[in-house]
């Protein structure tokens, strides 16, 4: 696929990541400005690299024409909390928002993966305004504690290094 075509596909996802990162960071600001405890400690966002999109599409047997509809993590937001209880508070905040609609929730905290990975994932529909009008996108929001994030980073590095033949 041409670079220009990839740019056209990924630009709305970049916009979604920027907008959502600003919105969640503003929640931190609002809590702290009012002298309240913020359940959100940090917010990070990214758009999946083209190579990662291609790898995942190949692994899941998704045609390139279908990636926008079939991959729900092209745009990703990671919300880091201090405590496990904060995760549920953040999920409730997301559930009450009118600018995103929840498609699916995955609870890897109550049901951690075999590797020990824990996180709470919420797939939302989020609409951005583009030059061609509104575009409704799927965005994956991962919510985890600082400790869970540390584990996820280590696990990801081990999987990359050992290609799923992780040492005990």
């Amino acid at each position: 696929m041409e670079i220009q075509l990839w740019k056209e596909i990924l630009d709305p996802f970049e916009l979604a990541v920027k907008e959502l990162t600003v919105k969640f960071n503003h929640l931190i600001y609002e809590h702290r400005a009012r002298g309240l405890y913020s359940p959100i400690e940090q917010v990070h966002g990214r758009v999946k690299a083209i190579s990662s999109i291609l790898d995942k599409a190949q692994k899941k047997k998704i045609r390139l024409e279908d990636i926008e509809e079939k991959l729900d993590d092209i745009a990703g937001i990671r919300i880091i909390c201090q405590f496990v209880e904060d995760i549920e508070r953040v999920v409730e905040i997301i559930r009450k928002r009118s600018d995103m609609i929840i498609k699916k929730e995955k609870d890897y905290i109550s049901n951690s993966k075999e590797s020990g990975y824990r996180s709470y994932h919420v797939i939302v529909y989020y609409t951005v305004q583009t030059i061609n009008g509104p575009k409704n996108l799927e965005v994956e929001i991962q919510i985890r504690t600082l400790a869970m994030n540390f584990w996820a980073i280590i696990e990801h590095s081990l999987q990359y290094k050992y290609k799923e033949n992780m040492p005990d």
Side-chain angles (χ1 to χ4, degrees):
M1 200 180 306
E2 269 183 48
I3 292 294
Q4 185 58 33
L5 188 52
W6 276 112
K7 188 167 176 33
E8 288 174 24
I9 291 169
L10 297 180
D11 275 354
F13 290 96
E14 288 282 353
L15 179 58
V17 167
K18 286 177 184 173
E19 287 183 10
L20 288 169
T21 301
V22 166
K23 288 178 178 188
F24 285 115
N25 274 318
H26 191 74
L27 284 173
I28 297 170
Y29 168 79
E30 280 188 289
H31 278 85
R32 293 180 180 161
R34 290 182 171 90
L36 302 171
Y37 171 78
S38 174
I40 301 172
E41 186 68 25
Q42 301 170 9
V43 180
H44 306 281
R46 63 96 181 109
V47 172
K48 194 178 270 298
I50 295 169
S51 60
S52 295
I53 293 170
L54 292 172
D55 287 346
K56 192 164 191 177
Q58 184 178 25
K59 189 169 89 174
K60 293 189 169 224
K61 296 179 177 32
I62 298 171
R63 297 178 319 145
L64 288 180
E65 308 82 68
D66 299 330
I67 60 169
E68 287 181 86
E69 292 80 37
K70 305 267 179 160
L71 290 182
D72 57 17
D73 66 344
I74 293 174
I77 302 294
R78 183 164 299 138
I79 296 175
I80 308 296
C81 305
Q82 286 190 40
F83 305 106
V84 176
E85 307 82 56
D86 296 336
I87 294 170
E88 186 56 39
R89 289 180 62 200
V90 173
V91 172
E92 281 305 313
I93 288 169
I94 293 170
R95 286 180 183 143
K96 290 177 182 174
R97 292 188 67 97
S98 63
D99 57 346
M100 53 188 91
I101 299 164
I102 294 176
K103 174 187 177 184
K104 179 171 40 176
E105 297 181 41
K106 299 180 209 169
D107 183 353
Y108 297 116
I109 296 172
S110 300
N111 307 297
S112 63
K113 291 186 176 182
E114 193 175 308
S115 64
Y117 175 85
R118 296 176 71 209
S119 186
Y120 199 97
H121 296 193
V122 181
I123 309 297
V124 299
Y125 294 109
Y126 181 75
T127 302
V128 293
Q129 300 299 319
T130 72
I131 196 167
N132 298 319
K135 184 158 178 118
N136 196 31
L137 305 170
E138 291 183 35
V139 177
E140 180 183 59
I141 304 172
Q142 298 178 348
I143 310 155
R144 55 177 75 141
T145 64
L146 290 159
M148 290 173 193
N149 193 55
F150 175 78
W151 180 258
I153 291 167
I154 297 295
E155 181 203 26
H156 184 266
S157 296
L158 287 171
Q159 282 185 359
Y160 179 76
K161 181 177 179 181
Y162 291 103
K163 303 284 185 203
E164 298 184 21
N165 294 317
M166 278 191 255
D168 290 339

